[in-house]
Amino acid sequence: MSPRRNRPHRAVAPEPGRDGERHGLERTESWRGEEWVMRPVSGSAGKTYRCPGCDQEIPPGVGHVVAWPEHAGVDDRRHWHRACWNARDRRGAKVLRSRNAPRH
């Protein structure tokens, strides 16, 4: 007998967006009176990002969330740890750094 699959494999149809196509897992959430587009990513880009919620680095290969205001451009994307994004009301994006701290 062959092993059982835990989840059915279904094709996810893209949702129409402002540019005509959206990624299957992308969704819109309301935060601070503004609509934000949120997309989970696998972290396979090979880059290090800095989370605005905790001001810590997100190393390459770590899954996280990319979020940006719905009516903003690509330059306004921010990479958040998943836990920081879920706790964003308790974790502000205005973290004070010391004078010698790197700004990546």
Side-chain angles (χ1 to χ4, degrees), residues 41-76:
V41 294
S42 63
S44 60
K47 294 182 180 178
T48 299
Y49 300 101
R50 184 164 298 273
C51 175
C54 65
D55 199 37
Q56 299 296 313
E57 289 185 352
I58 303 172
V62 173
H64 58 280
V65 172
V66 177
W68 64 95
E70 188 174 38
H71 300 291
V74 177
D75 295 335
D76 291 328

Side-chain angles (χ1 to χ4, degrees), residues 84-102:
C84 294
W85 176 254
N86 292 335
R88 63 191 176 273
D89 290 329
R90 297 187 307 266
R91 299 180 183 200
K94 297 179 180 176
V95 177
L96 298 176
R97 295 185 180 109
S98 68
R99 289 183 181 177
N100 298 329

Side-chain angles (χ1 to χ4, degrees), residues 5-27:
R5 290 188 299 205
N6 289 335
R7 288 179 259 155
H9 291 263
R10 295 184 190 134
V12 178
E15 300 173 14
R18 61 182 177 262
D19 57 354
E21 186 173 323
R22 293 182 92 162
H23 297 276
L25 298 176
E26 190 172 286
R27 66 178 186 251

